[in-house]
């Protein structure tokens, strides 16, 4: 048998660690109990709604601060070598738990529901997934999503890059960038309402829609741009995405272009390289990582596109996309199995793009 250690320092360290563990568990349990009781109070409260909202906001702010403060205080009771390992988990732990609760668990439940029938009572296996690729409406929705992904993303990236180059050489750079970036300040729903008036059509000679007013002024015939001109009406909807996301691409590209070393550009000009050659031979390779990041980010937007289509056409006139079809099946037709399957298909389509983004961030030292 090994003799017991006679080192009092080791015994003190061990006792401190046990106390720290018990203290940490007590602090964690106290936070759960206190915040749970406050939640129950608000849930069953009969207070004035405005007062309840104010108190809930205060609870949210002070509650988060209290959780981090108490957990950090408890971590300080540990020895240094343990505290350094524990503190990072304290700061990311609540965020990971919330993300798991709000994202991972719903995703797993949606995956589970996708294997059942409309009422979620009978297991149907992969029948819902097979039905997706034999449904005419889904074929239209997938085609339209591909249009949004390729045309919308390509246009946003190209226009954003072009405007970034031109604006950086203009004396009105700040004003130009502010105007082009301004649509990013509004939501997709608000943008849909604005463009609904731009494309508005009514029978007769008097047109209040901006585009039809311009067409009739020059002697043309007014058109129902978002309904009658199928499938070209999808391109008129994609214009709204371009209008909104070009400013985002422009700002990111402009920051990347300003990071290109001036000495490299000057050396290229001294060697006789023209501006076009400098752009494609130096600037594009230098900001290629930024181009990839912006492209993948906009692709995620286009794959999830919902608001603009719902506001403009409601998914009618062959403008259906996967997200609107999911909303229609799940919330309107109450077909939970098929609707959940559409959500999983959309998730599978988005995941590779997100993984590319994460890999790119890792290469750039983002994490």
């Amino acid at each position: 048998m090994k003799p017991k250690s006679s080192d009092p320092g080791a015994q003190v360290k061990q006792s401190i660690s046990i106390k720290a563990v018990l203290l940490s568990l007590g602090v964690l349990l106290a936070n759960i109990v206190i915040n749970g009781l406050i939640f129950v109070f608000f849930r069953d409260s009969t207070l004035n709604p405005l007062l309840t909202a104010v108190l809930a906001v205060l609870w949210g702010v002070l509650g988060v601060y209290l959780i981090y403060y108490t957990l950090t205080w408890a971590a300080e009771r540990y020895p240094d070598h343990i505290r350094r390992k524990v503190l990072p988990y304290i700061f990311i732990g609540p965020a990971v738990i919330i993300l798991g609760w709000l994202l991972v668990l719903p995703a797993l439940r949606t995956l589970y529901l996708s294997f059942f029938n409309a009422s979620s009572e009978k297991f149907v296996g992969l029948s819902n997934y097979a039905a997706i690729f034999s449904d005419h409406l889904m074929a239209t929705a997938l085609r339209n999503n591909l249009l949004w992904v390729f045309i919308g993303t390509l246009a946003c990236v190209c226009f954003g890059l072009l405007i970034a180059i031109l604006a950086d050489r203009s004396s009105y750079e700040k004003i130009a960038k502010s105007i082009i970036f301004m649509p990013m300040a509004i939501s997709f729903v608000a943008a849909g309402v604005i463009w609904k008036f731009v494309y508005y059509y009514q029978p007769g000679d008097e047109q209040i829609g901006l585009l039809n007013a311009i067409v009739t002024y020059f002697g043309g015939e007014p058109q129902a741009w978002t309904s009658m001109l199928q499938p070209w009406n999808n391109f008129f909807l994609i214009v709204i995405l371009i209008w909104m996301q070009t400013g985002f691409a422009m700002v990111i590209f402009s920051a990347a272009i300003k990071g290109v070393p001036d000495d490299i550009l000057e050396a290229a000009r001294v060697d006789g390289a023209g501006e076009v050659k400098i752009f494609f031979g130096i600037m594009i390779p230098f900001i290629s990582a930024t181009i990839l990041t912006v492209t993948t980010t906009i692709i995620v937007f286009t794959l999830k596109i919902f608001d603009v289509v719902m506001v403009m056409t409601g998914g009618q006139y062959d403008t259906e996309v996967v997200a609107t079809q999911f909303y229609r099946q799940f919330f309107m037709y109450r077909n939970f199995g098929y609707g959940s399957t559409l959500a999983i298909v959309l998730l599978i389509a988005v995941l590779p793009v997100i993984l590319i983004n994460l890999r790119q961030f890792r290469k750039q030292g983002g994490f």
Side-chain angles (χ1 to χ4, degrees):
M1 295 179 63
K2 295 182 179 180
K4 293 183 179 179
S5 174
S6 60
D7 184 6
Q11 295 178 358
V12 171
K13 180 181 289 187
Q14 183 179 7
S15 63
I16 291 176
S17 299
I18 294 174
K19 289 180 181 179
V21 171
L22 294 176
L23 183 63
S24 300
L25 293 175
V27 169
L28 181 61
L29 182 61
N31 276 297
I32 294 174
V33 171
I34 292 173
N35 286 284
L37 292 175
I38 296 175
F39 171 78
V40 171
F41 168 76
F42 280 115
R43 185 191 64 186
D44 302 333
S45 174
T46 57
L47 296 174
N48 181 278
L50 180 60
L51 179 60
T52 302
V54 173
L55 293 176
V57 171
L58 290 175
W59 170 48
V61 175
L62 296 177
V64 171
Y65 173 79
L66 182 64
I67 290 172
Y68 280 109
Y69 177 80
T70 54
L71 291 178
T72 304
W73 177 82
E76 295 292 338
R77 311 281 78 81
Y78 285 86
D80 290 341
H81 67 285
I82 297 178
R83 184 172 63 249
R84 285 193 296 268
K85 297 178 180 179
V86 171
L87 281 176
Y89 292 100
I90 290 177
F91 287 100
I92 68 172
V96 171
I97 293 173
I98 293 174
L99 286 175
W101 183 26
L102 298 179
L103 294 179
V104 178
L105 290 181
L108 294 176
R109 175 167 172 75
T110 302
L111 178 63
Y112 172 78
L113 291 175
S114 69
F115 298 113
F116 287 80
N117 64 348
S119 59
S120 302
E121 296 176 350
K122 182 181 178 182
F123 181 79
V124 295
L126 298 176
S127 299
N128 289 323
Y129 291 91
I132 285 179
F133 299 100
S134 60
D135 186 353
H136 171 70
L137 287 177
M138 270 309 301
T140 302
L142 291 171
R143 179 205 68 185
N144 292 338
N145 263 112
L146 289 177
L147 289 177
W148 281 87
V149 167
F150 288 108
I151 299 176
T153 303
L154 181 63
C156 289
V157 171
C158 291
F159 285 136
L161 187 57
L162 178 63
I163 294 171
I165 291 291
L166 296 178
D168 284 344
R169 303 185 179 191
S170 171
S171 56
Y172 301 99
E173 177 184 355
K174 294 182 179 180
I175 297 176
K177 287 182 177 179
S178 299
I179 294 173
I180 296 170
F181 187 77
M182 197 175 297
M184 283 288 297
I186 63 176
S187 66
F188 275 102
V189 174
V193 173
I194 292 172
W195 281 84
K196 196 166 187 176
F197 284 103
V198 173
Y199 292 143
Y200 188 81
Y201 164 79
Q202 64 181 11
D205 297 330
E206 186 176 351
Q207 299 294 326
I208 64 171
L210 177 62
L211 185 56
N212 275 324
I214 295 174
V215 170
T216 53
Y217 177 80
F218 288 100
E221 291 293 328
Q223 302 288 337
W225 305 101
T226 59
S227 58
M228 295 177 62
L229 300 178
Q230 303 173 21
W232 303 104
N233 51 357
N234 287 286
F235 295 101
F236 292 106
L237 298 183
I238 294 173
V239 168
I240 304 173
L241 173 78
I242 298 172
W243 179 68
M244 294 192 67
Q245 295 299 315
T246 296
F248 162 76
M250 173 202 66
V251 169
I252 305 300
F253 288 147
S254 180
I257 290 171
K258 289 182 183 298
V260 179
D262 291 333
D263 54 348
I264 297 178
L265 300 178
E266 291 300 327
R269 293 188 179 101
V270 170
D271 290 341
E275 294 300 322
V276 175
K277 191 173 182 179
I278 290 175
F279 176 73
F280 287 103
I282 297 177
M283 288 186 176
I284 293 296
F286 195 88
I287 66 172
S288 59
T290 304
I291 294 175
L292 178 60
T293 301
V294 171
T295 302
T296 51
T297 302
I298 297 178
I299 287 175
V300 172
F301 282 137
T302 56
L303 286 172
K304 300 188 303 179
I305 197 70
F306 171 79
D307 316 64
V308 171
V309 178
M310 186 57 67
V311 171
M312 295 292 293
T313 64
Q316 302 179 78
Y317 316 115
D318 284 343
T319 59
E320 196 87 64
V321 290
V322 176
T324 57
Q325 185 67 6
F326 155 71
Y327 172 82
R328 200 179 305 280
Q329 292 289 338
F330 198 95
F331 294 103
M332 296 178 65
Y333 303 154
R334 313 298 290 177
N335 190 342
F336 300 120
Y338 193 72
S340 299
T341 305
L342 291 174
I344 295 299
V345 169
L346 192 58
L347 176 64
I348 293 173
V350 171
L351 277 178
V353 184
I354 295 176
L355 293 176
I356 293 173
N357 246 349
L358 293 177
R359 184 177 298 177
Q360 188 61 36
F361 287 149
R362 186 180 292 111
K363 288 182 180 178
Q364 295 176 351
F367 57 87

